Amino acid sequence: MGFKEKYYEYQRPILGMVSVVGLVILWELVFTYLIPLNPFFFTKPSLIAAAFTEHIIRGSLWSDLVISSRAFISGFSLAIIVGIPIGAVMGWRRRVEYTLDPFLTALYASPLVALAPLLIVVLGVGLVAKVVLVFLLSVFPFIFNTAAGVRATDRLLINVVRSFGGREKDLYLKVIFPSTLPYIVAGARIAIGRGIVGILVGEFYAASEGIGFAISRFGDTYMLPEMFSAILVLMIVAVALTEGLRKLEVVLAPWRVGQEAR
Amino acid sequence: MNTLVSVYREREQTILGGGFILLLILAWEFIPSLVSLPRGLSLFFTTPLTVVQTFYQLVVENKIQSHFYISAIEFAVGLAMAIAVGLPLGLVMGRSRTVDAMLDPFVTAFNATPRLIFLPLFILWLGIGIWSKIVIVFIGALFPLLINTYEGVKNVDRVLVNVVRSFGANEWQVMKVVVLPNSVPYIIVGLRLAIGRALLGVVVGEFFGASKGLGYMIASAATNYKADVVFVGVAIFMGLALLLTLPVKKIESKLTRWRPETAKTF
């Protein structure tokens, strides 16, 4: 009786665990007993786990991760510094929005990643090209989300502050910024995925270090367990960042949950 | 004079937006004649006029059509596969709590990670031909479609479902009468996002280990310092992206006029 109720309470996480663990066990068993494993073509969980622990012990992937995150953080910070002010002005001033919106929308909608080869040829293989690429891809969610947030600020609140003689500074800090913040966090969540795309493309295309380079090198040399464990590392990082921001969104603006399609 | 002002007032949005783009293009065109660029940079520099001329030439010499054709096939097949898998799976996940709970860890993990990360793996498995690109387009476009369909099904009014059920409808009829029509706006959002991801997949997939396609054309032009050809490719992708997503966006805003405003996503 008590057991069954407990199960219903935790049904979701239990079923999720069951399917993940079940898949891993099935994968392992199939390639241990049913189909002979061709190590140049596929791999199995036990080999991936071995490669994963070796990576962690030797710390070889660590340096790649540091290299990539340096480029990522620089580009991403630049996107925040540039994107939020532009978005704020666009949301606040109608004429600025009219002027910039078509141009920026066109850039946002198109796969700017197509510029990657040229950027790398011009700026060289290394940090700068990757930073520019991450910036180019991740700046737009910040611009458009900040603008939407500023526009969505409750007019009534603005009028109240003005009526009670609040200064412009109060208006910005006490009304507009807090109501825009959840939008910015939502933008950051979208921007993270795009920024990682920038890192990956930059490093797949031409690099001598970094997590993207590690993955493509392992692929080229048929080191599949190593490749899968590198992919796993990046997946863990991406999930941690995205879900962390989603949690932050819920904390900042619980009323907005579920309003926006991913 | 007054009529001029009123015409401007009426079309302020178009004039300002279009004017800004025009201004940028003109500035880009005349930069090289106004300031002398350093030799290193002038090697990679091109102007809009040259890009248009190069585009015309490539079309006349029949050099771009085969690239375009390959890219179009990859895009269409990958996107069609994503729709064929994503919609039914999203519907099932939205209707069945068990399936939802079992697939959720995978969907969350794969959606958070750019699927581009699997490109080296697909190249290893499927070779450098068209199939590795189709699969990368497919897996890129799959998740926006799947998740938005799911979201749509989840947001269906429970009262409506219960009413139809009370009148004796089975699961299939509930789906047809209530769930599907209510999910359409969400599915359209998913479709728009999927188009963007699919284009991204085509571009990047062809950067690596390809011998045909617009992405390949861009990558090989860049290594040969042909900036004009790079921009022809970039412009084609931009044009396609706008051509394919803006009509969908129009339908979307018609269908979701009642929903609160959210920021743009691509």
Side-chain angles (χ1 to χ4, degrees):
Chain A
M1 185 64 189
F3 176 77
K4 208 160 188 179
E5 273 163 12
K6 268 260 162 355
Y7 172 74
Y8 278 123
E9 204 184 327
Y10 294 105
Q11 190 184 27
R12 249 184 102 80
I14 290 174
L15 280 174
M17 287 277 272
V18 165
S19 71
V20 172
V21 174
L23 186 86
V24 171
I25 291 175
L26 190 74
W27 180 0
E28 180 73 30
L29 289 179
V30 164
F31 284 97
T32 312
Y33 297 108
L34 282 177
I35 306 166
L37 183 75
N38 177 357
F40 293 115
F41 202 70
F42 209 60
T43 187
K44 55 184 185 179
S46 58
L47 297 175
I48 298 172
F52 193 75
T53 42
E54 208 196 302
H55 275 315
I56 287 175
I57 290 167
R58 281 195 311 157
S60 53
L61 266 183
W62 188 243
S63 59
D64 282 320
L65 210 56
V66 169
I67 297 281
S68 298
S69 40
R70 200 174 293 156
F72 181 81
I73 292 169
S74 315
F76 205 73
S77 317
L78 209 61
I80 293 176
I81 295 169
V82 174
I84 292 179
I86 294 181
V89 177
M90 266 176 76
W92 195 233
R93 293 268 167 246
R94 204 167 41 105
R95 287 220 171 85
V96 176
E97 195 197 356
Y98 287 168
T99 310
L100 294 179
D101 188 70
F103 173 64
L104 294 177
T105 303
L107 288 186
Y108 190 19
S110 51
L112 278 186
V113 101
L115 283 170
L118 192 68
L119 282 175
I120 291 166
V121 171
V122 174
L123 299 171
V125 179
L127 189 69
V128 184
K130 280 192 273 181
V131 171
V132 173
L133 208 51
V134 172
F135 167 75
L136 266 185
L137 290 174
S138 57
V139 73
F140 296 104
F142 283 111
I143 296 178
F144 285 110
N145 275 275
T146 310
V150 172
R151 264 199 310 270
T153 305
D154 197 339
R155 292 282 136 189
L156 195 65
L157 293 178
I158 296 177
N159 288 341
V160 167
V161 171
R162 285 207 170 129
S163 316
F164 281 93
R167 284 168 302 174
E168 283 292 291
K169 200 187 83 190
D170 295 322
L171 194 62
Y172 293 126
L173 289 181
K174 292 191 176 141
V175 179
I176 297 175
F177 181 68
S179 83
T180 309
L181 197 59
Y183 283 83
I184 296 177
V185 175
R189 183 162 51 77
I190 300 167
I192 278 185
R194 294 170 63 97
I196 297 179
V197 168
I199 287 286
L200 286 178
V201 172
E203 291 180 350
F204 284 169
Y205 193 76
S208 50
E209 46 196 358
I211 189 89
F213 171 72
I215 291 167
S216 76
R217 184 192 53 207
F218 290 138
D220 291 343
T221 50
Y222 294 98
M223 293 164 77
L224 279 153
E226 282 77 7
M227 186 187 190
F228 270 88
S229 60
I231 291 177
L232 200 63
V233 167
L234 196 76
M235 274 182 117
I236 292 169
V237 172
V239 171
L241 287 175
T242 327
E243 291 304 302
L245 282 175
R246 201 186 293 283
K247 290 266 146 56
L248 187 63
E249 249 173 88
V250 176
V251 173
L252 286 174
W255 63 90
R256 277 187 74 230
V257 174
Q259 270 185 17
E260 180 201 21
R262 278 180 273 181
Chain B
M1 193 59 210
N2 261 332
T3 48
L4 217 69
V5 172
S6 69
V7 165
Y8 172 79
R9 285 254 165 81
E10 243 169 65
R11 299 172 190 269
E12 188 178 33
Q13 195 164 2
T14 333
I15 291 170
L16 284 176
F20 184 65
I21 293 178
L22 210 65
L23 196 74
L24 283 180
I25 293 176
L26 284 177
W28 183 7
E29 182 68 46
F30 290 112
I31 279 178
S33 45
L34 292 176
V35 280
S36 59
L37 295 162
R39 261 183 60 91
L41 197 66
S42 63
L43 196 61
F44 307 107
F45 205 82
T46 183
T47 61
L49 210 60
T50 329
V51 174
V52 173
Q53 281 167 350
T54 312
F55 177 63
Y56 179 72
Q57 220 160 23
L58 286 172
V59 173
V60 169
E61 289 168 15
N62 215 8
K63 276 186 180 153
I64 210 167
Q65 280 86 336
S66 59
H67 291 304
F68 183 83
Y69 179 65
I70 292 285
S71 295
I73 289 183
E74 289 163 2
F75 175 83
V77 176
L79 188 62
M81 277 164 63
I83 294 172
V85 175
L87 289 194
L89 207 57
L91 286 176
V92 173
M93 267 183 83
R95 292 300 296 163
S96 155
R97 290 177 59 160
T98 315
V99 177
D100 180 13
M102 291 188 84
L103 292 183
D104 184 61
F106 298 104
V107 173
T108 307
F110 280 95
N111 185 49
T113 322
R115 274 74 67 191
L116 221 50
I117 196 174
F118 299 104
L119 185 61
L121 191 66
F122 294 144
I123 291 175
L124 192 134
W125 281 345
L126 300 165
I128 59 170
I130 192 169
W131 279 101
S132 54
K133 282 91 198 172
I134 288 178
V135 173
I136 206 81
V137 170
F138 161 72
I139 198 173
L142 175 66
F143 288 92
L145 276 165
L146 172 67
I147 288 168
N148 280 286
T149 310
Y150 167 82
E151 245 11 274
V153 175
K154 276 277 163 195
N155 277 309
V156 164
D157 195 343
R158 298 228 51 94
V159 176
L160 291 180
V161 175
N162 288 340
V163 167
V164 178
R165 273 243 181 85
S166 314
F167 281 98
N170 57 28
E171 179 63 26
W172 170 244
Q173 283 163 327
V174 171
M175 198 80 114
K176 209 174 72 181
V177 177
V178 182
V179 175
L180 261 180
N182 271 290
S183 317
V184 167
Y186 291 85
I187 294 175
I188 299 226
V189 174
L191 187 65
R192 178 172 54 82
L193 294 175
I195 289 171
R197 303 288 164 81
L199 277 174
L200 180 82
V202 171
V203 180
V204 179
E206 289 172 352
F207 279 172
F208 313 103
S211 53
K212 268 252 156 328
L214 289 171
Y216 166 76
M217 186 187 87
I218 291 175
S220 68
T223 37
N224 292 318
Y225 303 112
K226 288 185 196 154
D228 47 346
V229 180
V230 173
F231 278 105
V232 168
V234 173
I236 292 176
F237 276 118
M238 273 182 103
L240 283 177
L242 293 178
L243 212 67
L244 292 166
T245 51
L246 289 187
V248 183
K249 184 109 200 166
K250 279 257 156 62
I251 302 173
E252 199 183 305
S253 53
K254 242 185 211 148
L255 288 172
T256 55
R257 205 171 282 160
W258 45 272
R259 273 208 275 174
E261 186 199 21
T262 51
K264 287 178 193 175
T265 41
F266 280 102

